[in-house]
Amino acid sequence: MLNMADGVQRLGALAESPVVATLGRAFADAGRELAIVGGPVRDALLGRTTNDLDFTTDARPDDILEIVTPISSAQWDVGRDFGTIGARIAGEQVEITTYRADSYDGVTRKPTVEFGDTLEGDLVRRDFTVNAMALRVPGRTLVDPTGGVEDLLAHRLRTPTDPRVSFGDDPLRMLRAARFSAQLGFEVDPATTEAIGELRETLSIVSPERIQGELSRLLKSDDPVRGISLLVETGIMDVFLPEIPALRLEVDEHHHHKDVYEHSLTVLRQAIELEEARYPDAAPDVPLRLAALLHDIGKPSTRKLEPGGGVTFHHHDIRGARMAKKRLQALRFDSDTIGVVSRLIELHLRFFGYAEGAWTDSAVRRYVRDAGAELERLHILTRADVTTRNKRKAARLAGAYDDIERRIGELAAQEELDAMRPELDGNRIQELLGIGPGREVGEAYRFLLDIRLDEGLIGPAEAERRLTEWWAARA
C-alpha cells in the first residue's frame, strides 16, 4: 500500500541531494525553471530505487549547456536535436531536456520535435500519468496535472490524454504499457488496453531498434510474463514477434497436448527464478530469458498428429533455433545475443535423453563441449523446461539433472573439462606427421578430439602413438 507521507518525505530527500540542489540553484540563478520529472518522482513516491535523474526546463539546449558547464565535470550533447543535454554533476550522470511535445507524422519512423513553454504542457504529452509528475526545484512543488498520484494509489496505468491520441503521438508507448505493467505490477486501464488493440498496426512505423530496446527492458523486469500476456491479448505481439501468439495451438479433439504458449510462459518464470537463485546479485540475463520464451517456437511448424491420438514435434529444436535467429536479426539484436539464444534453443532438448538412461562419460563430455560457454545457461533452461504436474516425473527429471551436473563437476575436476582440447596442439601434429598447415592438420585435430571426448586424458605419449597409427592407416 502506497504511503503518501513516506513518499513526500522521500521527495524531500531527493530534492536535498547534492546534484539536485546544485542544479536547482544554478537554474534559478539563471532565471530558468527546472524540475525533476517522470521516473525519479514516481519511484520516490513508490519507495523504489532509481539510478537515473531526469530533469526538464524551459531553457533551450544552448542555454542548458551554458548553465551546467561551470558546475559539471563533463557535458555531452548527443541528444541536442531532441532538446537533451547530458552532464556529470557531483559524481552523478544527469539529463536535462527542454519542455517539448514530440510526435510521429504517421509515415516516417522518427519522431518530430517541437519545444514547449510550460511544464504542464510538457507533462501532458508524456506516456502515462504515473510518469507525468514533476517536482519543481529548488522550490519543491509537486506538479501533477493528470492525476498521477491517484493512479499510483490505484496501481493503474493510464495515458494522460485520450490513449488513441497518446499512442498516435508515439506508438512505442503501447509496448511501454506492457513494460511498466510488468515493472510496477500495475493494471492497464481498460480504455488504454482497448486502444492498444485498435492501434497495434501503427507500431510498424517504429524502428526495429526501438522495439528491441523496449522488449529487452520488459524481459529485465521481475515479472515479464505480465507484460507479455498483455501484448499477446491485445494482438500487438503479432506485429513484431508473431511466433509467440502462434504457440497458442488449436487442440484437436482427438489429439490432446500441452498448451505450448502457457508452457513457454511457465518456463520463462521458472528460468528467472533459477537465474535469481543461482546468481542473486547479477543483472537480468536477457539472452537466457529470450531463449526461455522462444525455445518452443519451432513447434507449430513441426506439429504432426499421429494415429491413435499422439502429437509429435520432431526437430522443433533445430527449426526453432533458425526461426529465432531470423526474428532476432529482424529486431536488430546484437550478434552475440542472437548466437546465444539460437544455440540454447538448438540444445534445449539434448538433456532429456540422459533422463532415460545414464550417459557415458563420453556423452557428458560432448554435452559440455557442445554447450561451450553457454553451459550454465543451458543448465537453467533445461531445468526450467520441466513443467509437468506429475510430481514423480518432475522429481525424476530433477534428480537426473542433479546427477549430470554432479558428473560434469567431477569430470571437470579430473580432466580440466573446460579446456576440452586434444593433448597435442597443431604445431606438434605438424611436427609429428611431417606436414604443413592445411586441411589434414584439422582432420588430425578432430581425430584426437574424438579420443579426448570418448576416453578422457590418455597422456601425450599415447596420443602421439594413436595419431601416428591413424596417419599410417590413412596412407
Side-chain angles (χ1 to χ4, degrees):
M1 186 69 179
L2 179 63
N3 186 314
M4 286 306 300
D6 290 345
V8 170
Q9 189 174 16
R10 286 189 292 268
L11 281 178
L14 180 62
E16 292 174 358
S17 68
V19 64
V20 175
T22 299
L23 270 172
R25 285 194 301 269
F27 275 77
D29 291 346
R32 295 294 188 178
E33 298 177 2
L34 185 71
I36 309 170
V37 67
V41 177
R42 177 200 69 218
D43 289 345
L45 290 172
L46 289 174
R48 289 167 51 92
T49 301
T50 185
N51 297 318
D52 299 319
L53 284 175
D54 295 325
F55 296 84
T56 189
T57 178
D58 61 341
R60 296 304 192 251
D62 288 343
D63 299 320
I64 296 172
L65 194 57
E66 183 178 345
I67 293 170
V68 302
T69 296
I71 61 172
S72 59
S73 58
Q75 312 84 36
W76 50 95
D77 61 356
V78 292
R80 179 189 290 269
D81 291 344
F82 295 94
T84 300
I85 299 295
R88 182 169 294 279
I89 300 171
E92 294 191 47
Q93 182 173 311
V94 301
E95 288 189 347
I96 306 104
T97 302
T98 304
Y99 299 153
R100 69 188 191 190
D102 49 17
S103 63
Y104 283 81
D105 60 13
V107 179
T108 63
R109 293 177 176 226
K110 294 183 179 179
T112 58
V113 177
E114 295 180 5
F115 295 140
D117 297 315
T118 68
L119 175 58
E120 290 77 7
D122 177 274
L123 295 175
V124 169
R125 65 96 194 166
R126 291 177 178 264
D127 52 8
F128 301 102
T129 60
V130 297
N131 297 330
M133 298 179 289
L135 181 68
R136 289 188 184 274
V137 290
R140 303 189 193 180
T141 301
L142 180 65
V143 182
D144 177 20
T146 65
V149 171
E150 288 82 356
D151 286 335
L152 280 182
L153 290 167
H155 286 195
R156 177 175 58 223
L157 275 179
R158 180 174 59 86
T159 56
T161 59
D162 184 322
R164 291 159 187 80
V165 175
S166 181
F167 296 150
D169 285 345
D170 184 355
L172 191 70
R173 290 173 175 173
M174 295 185 286
L175 298 192
R176 287 192 192 134
R179 191 241 299 182
F180 284 121
S181 176
Q183 284 182 342
L184 304 175
F186 285 11
E187 292 293 331
V188 180
D189 172 69
T192 302
T193 301
E194 182 180 349
I196 293 173
E198 291 178 6
L199 300 178
R200 60 184 183 272
E201 295 298 335
T202 63
L203 188 69
S204 60
I205 71 169
V206 179
S207 70
E209 289 84 358
R210 295 186 73 212
I211 294 173
Q212 176 250 106
E214 204 57 52
L215 175 61
S216 296
R217 294 183 190 99
L218 169 59
L219 288 170
K220 290 177 182 178
S221 66
D222 291 337
D223 183 21
V225 169
R226 185 188 191 102
I228 291 166
S229 298
L230 175 69
L231 297 176
V232 172
E233 290 163 8
T234 57
I236 197 169
M237 186 74 87
D238 289 285
V239 178
F240 69 96
L241 194 54
E243 292 82 1
I244 299 304
L247 294 174
R248 297 180 296 180
L249 301 173
E250 295 182 9
V251 181
D252 183 275
E253 61 178 316
H254 301 298
H255 298 78
H256 302 290
H257 59 275
K258 190 181 299 182
D259 184 319
V260 183
Y261 170 67
E262 291 296 336
H263 163 75
S264 297
L265 297 185
T266 300
V267 172
L268 175 57
R269 284 195 189 98
Q270 294 184 166
I272 292 172
E273 291 172 1
L274 288 166
E275 172 194 335
E276 293 175 345
R278 291 190 175 209
Y279 307 102
D281 299 323
D285 191 337
V286 172
L288 171 64
R289 298 180 183 195
L290 274 171
L293 178 63
L294 302 176
H295 76 284
D296 275 346
I297 61 171
K299 279 190 170 179
S301 60
T302 58
R303 181 177 60 156
K304 184 177 181 182
L305 306 179
E306 302 287 355
V311 182
T312 62
F313 304 98
H314 292 310
H315 305 302
H316 78 268
D317 46 347
I318 305 301
R319 178 74 61 85
R322 293 172 182 164
M323 292 170 64
K325 181 178 181 179
K326 184 176 181 181
R327 178 57 58 190
L328 297 182
Q329 286 174 336
L331 289 171
R332 306 292 195 270
F333 276 91
D334 61 276
S335 58
D336 286 344
T337 297
I338 294 170
V340 169
V341 174
S342 59
R343 188 62 174 154
L344 288 174
I345 294 174
E346 183 180 346
L347 293 174
H348 82 273
L349 291 181
R350 188 73 62 86
F351 157 73
F352 290 98
Y354 184 92
E356 302 303 321
W359 287 350
T360 62
D361 285 350
S362 171
V364 174
R365 293 186 192 100
R366 291 177 186 276
Y367 185 75
V368 173
R369 181 199 62 180
D370 291 346
E374 309 314 320
L375 181 62
E376 275 299 308
R377 283 173 166 143
L378 185 59
H379 286 333
I380 293 174
L381 177 60
T382 302
R383 286 183 179 273
D385 198 19
V386 178
T387 62
T388 178
R389 295 180 182 177
N390 184 318
K391 292 183 178 180
R392 181 175 297 179
K393 181 179 179 181
R396 178 175 61 82
L397 290 170
Y401 214 88
D402 288 341
D403 186 59
I404 195 173
E405 286 201 66
R406 176 188 59 78
R407 290 181 63 194
I408 288 171
E410 290 175 351
L411 286 170
Q414 295 168 9
E415 307 174 2
E416 300 180 358
L417 193 58
D418 290 341
M420 199 59 72
R421 293 187 295 270
E423 294 178 78
L424 305 180
D425 62 17
N427 290 332
R428 181 56 182 151
I429 290 171
Q430 293 177 58
E431 179 183 342
L432 191 64
L433 303 182
I435 59 176
R439 177 177 55 82
E440 292 173 327
V441 177
E443 292 176 358
Y445 189 91
R446 286 190 290 275
F447 166 74
L448 291 172
L449 180 59
D450 283 338
I451 294 175
R452 171 78 169 84
L453 292 168
D454 289 337
E455 303 179 37
L457 297 172
I458 61 174
E462 177 63 13
E464 291 182 359
R465 186 186 69 78
R466 300 267 193 102
L467 180 62
T468 53
E469 285 184 356
W470 171 81
W471 183 250
R474 271 175 53 101

